């Protein structure tokens, strides 16, 4: 396996380059998917040839910064990593891929490409689209990558605890157990991007927090990526409350499907309202995905098509049957279950 050895000049340089408790080494390791073995001021890097060479360049740049008596923080390391990757692949920003260690996440449709570009370009992003278009997955993927690179210090994953036919009180357990089913899709995305032990460690250290929307009131979140999933089920006051949690160096992503609102019929969706209200505000990006962006099992797109066309076809069939029997058609409504 290709490897390279870097020798540091002394304890001061070692502390600056390695970071407190080897924090910077973990950043570099996670960014390039290599093995880094430090020992007595000597660093051995093992991995694929191209990645090992990029890591060597990162270490050399960090050593130059230390030699110029510049402080090296996690943010500095993240900037050096990005600059090195950009120099090695000038078209990388156009590829809009998320490389996190050995994992590579790429857009699988034109809509997803627009979504990833918006996530890079804007501090507040609304993504509206049907199930299966990767709204939540891509937002979580870019947040995890930013956390590992040291660009943010925390990920906060949020969902409204709105029922679709059941009530919280009917579920067993304490409040945490009652809320867990609503947060499950966010956990599924995390488990696909990170190892189980790593998720537990990050949650234990409060680097990743999963919470219901109601718990956001009164907070200010700095150096964080905050993702609100199922945003169509937030009311207008709740959406305003959530969006104003943004602190310094924070990014907010709101995802949802405005055709799947579980609020009372007379209540306006906070997501639909915010998209319209903030459409001309600088720094806010809105991306609309559609059926062509569905990337789940091929049957999902067929199911969405069937449900979208079912109601007009049903009404037409009822009217035809009524005309044949000289009886008025029943009022349109949900199909009866057999």
């Amino acid at each position: 396996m290709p490897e390279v050895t870097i020798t540091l000049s002394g304890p001061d340089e070692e502390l600056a380059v390695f970071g407190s408790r080897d924090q910077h080494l973990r950043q570099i390791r996670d960014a390039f998917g290599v093995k880094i073995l430090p020992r007595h001021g000597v660093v051995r890097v093992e991995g694929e040839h191209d990645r090992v060479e990029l890591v060597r360049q990162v270490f050399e740049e960090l050593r130059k910064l230390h030699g110029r008596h510049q402080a090296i923080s996690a943010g500095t390391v993240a900037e050096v990593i990005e600059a090195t990757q950009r120099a090695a692949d000038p078209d990388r920003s156009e590829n809009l891929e998320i490389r996190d260690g050995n994992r590579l996440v790429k857009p699988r449709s034109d809509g997803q490409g627009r979504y990833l570009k918006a996530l890079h370009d804007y501090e507040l992003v609304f993504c509206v689209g049907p199930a299966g278009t990767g709204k939540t997955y891509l937002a979580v993927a870019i947040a995890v990558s930013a956390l590992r690179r040291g660009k943010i210090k925390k990920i906060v994953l949020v969902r409204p605890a709105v029922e679709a036919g059941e009530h919280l009180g009917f579920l067993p357990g304490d409040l945490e157990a009652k809320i867990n089913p609503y947060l499950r899709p966010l956990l599924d995305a995390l488990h696909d991007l990170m190892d189980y032990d790593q998720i537990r460690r990050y949650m234990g250290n409060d680097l990743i927090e999963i919470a219901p929307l109601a718990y956001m009131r009164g907070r200010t979140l700095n150096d964080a990526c905050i993702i609100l999933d199922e945003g169509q089920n937030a009311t207008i006051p709740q959406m305003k409350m959530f969006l104003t949690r943004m602190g310094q160096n924070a990014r907010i992503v709101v995802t949802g499907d405005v055709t799947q609102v579980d609020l009372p019929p007379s209540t306006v969706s906070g997501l639909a309202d915010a998209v319209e209200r903030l459409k001309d505000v600088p720094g806010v990006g809105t991306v609309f995905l559609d059926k062509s962006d569905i990337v789940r099992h091929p049957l999902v797109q067929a199911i969405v098509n069937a449900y979208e066309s079912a109601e007009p076809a049903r009404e037409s069939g009822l009217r035809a049957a009524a005309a044949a029997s000289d009886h008025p058609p029943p009022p349109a409504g949900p199909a009866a279950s057999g």
Side-chain angles (χ1 to χ4, degrees):
M1 178 180 293
E3 66 175 61
V4 67
T5 301
I6 300 129
T7 303
L8 305 182
S9 61
D12 288 343
E13 186 177 65
E14 182 178 340
L15 178 60
V17 173
F18 288 6
S20 176
R21 299 183 180 180
D22 294 343
Q23 176 189 5
H24 300 162
L25 296 186
R26 290 192 293 273
Q27 270 184 267
I28 298 168
R29 178 199 65 194
D30 290 342
F32 292 97
V34 297
K35 182 182 291 186
I36 299 179
L37 306 169
R39 185 176 178 84
H40 303 310
V42 176
V43 183
R44 192 168 83 249
V45 183
E46 299 177 354
E48 296 179 11
H49 181 272
D50 292 346
R51 297 188 185 187
V52 166
E53 173 57 24
L54 292 177
V55 170
R56 185 193 66 77
Q57 294 176 24
V58 169
F59 276 114
E60 290 304 323
E61 183 60 30
L62 293 177
R63 295 186 68 192
K64 289 178 184 177
L65 293 175
H66 175 70
R68 294 196 292 265
H69 304 289
Q70 295 185 23
I72 300 176
S73 64
T76 306
V77 176
E79 291 173 1
V80 171
I81 289 171
E82 283 201 7
T84 304
Q85 292 175 328
R86 197 179 304 114
D89 183 4
D91 297 327
R92 182 172 176 267
S93 59
E94 297 179 9
N95 293 338
L96 292 174
E97 63 184 34
I98 306 170
R99 185 178 294 279
D100 188 41
N102 291 322
R103 292 180 174 89
L104 179 64
V105 177
K106 288 185 175 182
R108 295 170 60 184
S109 70
D110 291 341
Q112 286 194 352
R114 287 187 285 105
Y115 182 28
L116 275 180
K117 188 175 189 308
L119 290 172
H120 282 292
D121 293 346
Y122 296 100
E123 294 176 320
L124 170 57
V125 176
F126 294 102
C127 184
V128 181
T133 50
K135 304 184 299 292
T136 303
Y137 185 87
L138 290 175
V140 173
I142 208 163
V144 168
S145 179
L147 180 63
R148 284 174 161 162
R149 292 168 187 266
K151 297 183 73 174
I152 57 172
K153 296 179 180 178
K154 186 182 181 85
I155 298 173
V156 183
L157 306 174
V158 185
R159 280 192 68 164
V162 174
E163 306 89 347
E166 293 184 88
H167 296 283
L168 280 170
F170 296 158
L171 298 173
D174 56 15
L175 180 60
E176 182 177 352
K178 291 174 184 291
I179 290 170
N180 187 63
Y182 298 94
L183 307 177
R184 193 71 245 175
L186 295 168
L187 286 170
D188 289 343
L190 274 179
H191 281 291
D192 199 47
L193 293 160
M194 303 173 68
D195 297 330
Y196 178 75
D197 291 339
Q198 196 171 42
I199 294 173
R200 289 187 61 187
R201 186 168 66 252
Y202 276 31
M203 286 185 172
N205 294 330
D206 203 31
L207 299 178
I208 296 178
E209 176 186 353
I210 302 181
L213 178 58
Y215 285 22
M216 292 296 103
R217 187 174 299 279
R219 302 181 64 180
T220 300
L221 296 165
N222 300 310
D223 301 304
C225 182
I226 312 115
I227 301 171
L228 174 61
D229 192 34
E230 299 290 345
Q232 78 276 4
N233 287 331
T235 64
I236 294 176
Q238 285 176 328
M239 184 62 72
K240 178 184 176 183
M241 177 273 292
F242 173 76
L243 295 178
T244 53
R245 301 309 94 201
M246 178 183 278
Q248 297 298 318
N249 189 37
R251 288 178 175 266
I252 286 181
V253 185
V254 181
T255 68
D257 180 359
V258 292
T259 68
Q260 298 288 330
V261 179
D262 297 315
L263 295 169
S266 60
T267 304
V268 177
S269 167
L271 175 58
D273 174 80
V275 167
E276 177 62 26
R277 192 186 296 263
L278 303 177
K279 63 182 179 182
D280 297 322
V281 176
V284 178
T286 302
V287 179
F288 293 95
L289 304 179
D290 56 32
K291 293 177 291 184
S292 65
D293 299 303
I294 293 176
V295 294
R296 287 181 183 166
H297 192 284
L299 273 177
V300 174
Q301 190 162 342
I303 292 169
V304 171
N305 289 337
Y307 271 89
E308 286 186 351
S309 61
E311 196 61 32
R314 177 176 176 270
E315 290 184 18
S316 176
L318 287 172
R319 293 186 183 280
S325 60
D326 294 326
H327 289 295
S337 58

